Amino acid sequence: MRSFFAVLAVCAAPVPAAAQVPKELDFVPRDSFAFVTVKVSDVWDSPTLRPVRANFESLPKILEPAVGFGEADVERVTLFWPMFWESPGADTPFIAVTTRKPYDRAKVEKALKLVDARLRPSRGGEATKLPGDPLFYVTDPGGYVIPLGDRTLVICPGGPRIPDAPVGIALLAQTLNKSDDGPQAAPLALAGKHTVVASFRVSEATAFLKRSKLPADFAPLEDAQSVVVTGDIGKSVTATVKATFPNAESAKKATDAISKLSDLGAGELRAKKKLVGKESAAVDAMLTAVIQGLENAWFATDGPVVTAKAELELTPERVKSFARLPAELAEHIDLADKRKREINNLKQFGLALQNHHDAFEHLPNNVTDKAGKPLLSWRVLILPYIDHGDLYKKFKLDEPWDSEANKKLIPLMPKIYTVPGRDAPAGETFYQSFTAPEKLDGGSPLLIPGVKREFLGISDGTSNTALVTEAADSVI
């Protein structure tokens, strides 16, 4: 498996490219099924989008901690598919990132947690590193990264399956038979003139499209041989699509289908706008711009080629709305991170409850006195199972929570009991369980005074039962 990528890394090394193809795209096979390349630096440096960039720059760095270089360092991002193959995972593209200047290899290795594929275990079990720079790296969970020169990284997806998949063998064959000619040579050359270029050899997927049985209105699109998309950014965003068909007659039929497809897309986006537009001013502005572009798009036929063109005007008001995107994006990332931590907290509670059950053959309950008066929460009883056994030992289990001894421990509440993004008084938590004064018909909650609940007593099954939840109000 590793020898496969060693050969691929050697063959993919940059060689003198044809003049019309940007040097940073020379590694893309000229007979690939498809590719999409975006000159990110054009977007980042756009004077029209300066307010958007300024807001991005004001936020904490997002990309650099993850990959080892920042957003402003990226020159181009390219995705390519060596061939069309109808198998699970084969639709995952190879991803190439090209930086403006040579990247810091040590920083990239650390950020991406790359492992030199040439490491060899010694007799003592320790890995030894061979001299020289790695041809490629192994990533977790099993992908590969090939450095091409000092500015481009190619990310190869799903390492374990690539060597055995036809798509991986196809890429190796393409690189071994490297040629400046091929069906993708001309589209690749366009990348030197446009911010975005995408090219699809649709004829390679004709059989699949026909088996998919497109709706009658769109059936003429099954005959497409190739589709090339270009996009540019200035005071407006322009997008041009050129689709080639076998002859002028099939192209004429496809023109109507493309027009209907554009109308359908605009309708879908209007529905999406109603759902998410109120939540995000930036997304609302973007959807509005795209909808207007689709509504004003024009279509023309020239022999076997159908051309569609759309333009989105970047007015100051629209750019101002777009400029809110970085803050909204940061907010969503922060919310997702908080949600992830909260889910992890709940998982830890589940494991703690299970471990308590394994130790005592029942789930924890609130600690009560002989008269049934609550003294301490069930959260105290699971402290040993969330790595806070020392704190648990300090509690007086026969005294109430507000006794002189126990009250001093309230400020020591473990961080796992805090809900990310929600403030509560010191020592209080929003994580609670369900309670009832006695057993209930049809199912009872976890906390019932004097009752020791067992997993076997959960008639609906543990996967259908809530034990811990985030409540509206905090408690001690």
Side-chain angles (χ1 to χ4, degrees):
M1 180 168 64
R2 292 188 175 185
S3 60
F4 173 93
F5 278 93
V7 174
L8 184 60
V10 172
C11 295
V15 298
Q20 69 270 25
V21 177
K23 184 178 180 181
E24 64 266 26
L25 291 176
D26 189 57
F27 62 87
V28 180
R30 305 303 194 265
D31 55 349
S32 291
F33 164 65
F35 75 86
V36 178
T37 184
V38 181
K39 194 172 182 183
V40 178
S41 58
D42 280 359
V43 180
W44 187 263
D45 296 340
S46 168
T48 306
L49 296 179
R50 185 177 291 112
V52 182
R53 182 177 70 249
N55 283 355
F56 263 114
E57 292 174 333
S58 67
L59 297 174
K61 294 181 179 179
I62 299 175
L63 189 62
E64 187 168 352
V67 300
F69 46 79
E71 295 85 354
D73 299 321
V74 179
E75 172 77 16
R76 183 184 294 277
V77 174
T78 302
L79 288 71
F80 68 98
W81 295 257
M83 65 179 295
F84 179 81
W85 189 259
E86 298 176 49
S87 66
D91 58 345
T92 304
F94 290 78
I95 304 172
V97 180
T98 301
T99 55
R100 302 192 196 213
K101 298 178 180 180
Y103 55 80
D104 186 322
R105 180 171 287 212
K107 288 178 64 176
V108 170
E109 289 178 353
K110 182 178 180 180
L112 292 176
K113 299 178 181 179
L114 300 180
V115 178
D116 187 345
R118 303 168 307 149
L119 290 179
R120 294 289 184 269
S122 64
R123 292 181 179 179
E126 296 181 357
T128 57
K129 186 175 181 178
L130 299 178
D133 291 332
L135 290 175
F136 69 100
Y137 297 92
V138 180
T139 65
D140 186 22
Y144 295 87
V145 173
I146 301 175
L148 300 183
D150 55 6
R151 292 178 53 227
T152 299
L153 293 171
V154 179
I155 302 170
C156 308
R161 70 169 181 266
I162 292 296
D164 299 323
V167 65
I169 301 301
L171 179 59
L172 178 58
Q174 288 166 330
T175 51
L176 288 171
N177 292 285
K178 195 172 184 64
S179 171
D180 289 336
D181 298 322
Q184 296 289 22
L188 281 168
L190 293 174
K193 303 177 181 179
H194 299 281
T195 300
V196 179
V197 177
S199 178
F200 305 88
R201 296 172 60 201
V202 187
S203 58
E204 297 292 309
T206 298
F208 172 76
L209 291 174
K210 291 188 179 296
R211 286 198 304 273
S212 299
K213 295 182 179 179
L214 297 177
D217 286 345
F218 307 125
L221 300 178
E222 296 174 354
D223 296 324
Q225 295 181 327
S226 64
V227 175
V228 178
V229 181
T230 58
D232 294 285
I233 186 168
K235 292 185 178 180
S236 63
V237 175
T238 58
T240 303
V241 181
K242 289 184 178 292
T244 302
F245 292 83
N247 50 58
E249 183 179 354
S250 59
K252 185 177 180 180
K253 292 179 181 178
T255 302
D256 294 334
I258 294 174
S259 179
K260 291 177 181 177
L261 186 62
S262 177
D263 292 339
L264 178 64
E268 292 290 336
L269 290 177
R270 289 190 201 96
K272 189 72 173 178
K273 186 174 181 292
K274 290 181 180 179
L275 292 175
V276 302
K278 295 180 180 179
E279 300 177 5
S280 169
V283 172
D284 183 77
M286 289 181 177
L287 291 176
T288 299
V290 175
I291 291 169
Q292 291 179 356
L294 291 174
E295 291 175 340
N296 297 325
W298 60 265
F299 309 90
T301 304
D302 182 9
V305 179
V306 179
T307 300
K309 188 171 184 179
E311 184 173 2
L312 313 178
E313 187 179 1
L314 295 176
T315 63
E317 294 77 13
R318 187 166 283 168
V319 172
K320 185 177 180 180
S321 296
F322 292 171
R324 300 176 186 175
L325 181 62
E328 293 180 0
L329 179 62
E331 183 179 343
H332 282 291
I333 292 175
D334 183 58
L335 183 62
D337 178 66
K338 290 175 180 176
R339 184 63 177 166
K340 181 179 179 180
R341 284 185 283 140
E342 184 176 3
I343 291 174
N344 183 65
N345 287 350
L346 292 170
K347 287 181 178 179
Q348 295 303 314
F349 294 149
L351 290 173
L353 291 170
Q354 184 171 348
N355 289 333
H356 182 283
H357 187 281
D358 291 344
F360 297 97
E361 298 185 348
H362 66 82
L363 292 163
N365 203 332
N366 289 331
V367 180
T368 61
D369 60 16
K370 295 180 180 180
K373 180 182 178 181
L375 300 177
L376 296 168
S377 163
W378 58 275
R379 289 180 294 273
V380 172
L381 298 184
I382 67 169
L383 286 173
Y385 309 106
I386 56 173
D387 298 325
H388 285 278
D390 290 341
L391 178 59
Y392 171 76
K393 294 176 182 178
K394 296 178 181 179
F395 275 93
K396 303 292 184 181
L397 300 183
D398 57 349
E399 297 180 10
W401 65 270
D402 56 353
S403 69
E404 286 300 318
N406 290 337
K407 188 163 58 174
K408 296 177 182 178
L409 303 177
I410 293 177
L412 304 180
M413 183 187 76
K415 188 176 180 180
I416 193 175
Y417 287 137
T418 62
V419 175
R422 293 187 67 186
D423 295 328
E428 295 192 11
T429 179
F430 291 102
Y431 290 121
Q432 302 177 42
S433 189
F434 303 92
T435 185
E438 57 187 17
K439 288 187 176 181
L440 306 174
D441 293 335
S444 299
L446 172 65
L447 306 176
I448 302 174
V451 176
K452 296 181 178 180
R453 300 298 308 276
E454 301 177 12
F455 282 132
L456 291 177
I458 302 177
S459 58
D460 291 333
T462 55
S463 61
N464 299 314
T465 302
L467 294 177
V468 181
T469 188
E470 177 190 341
D473 301 318
S474 62
V475 295
I476 292 291

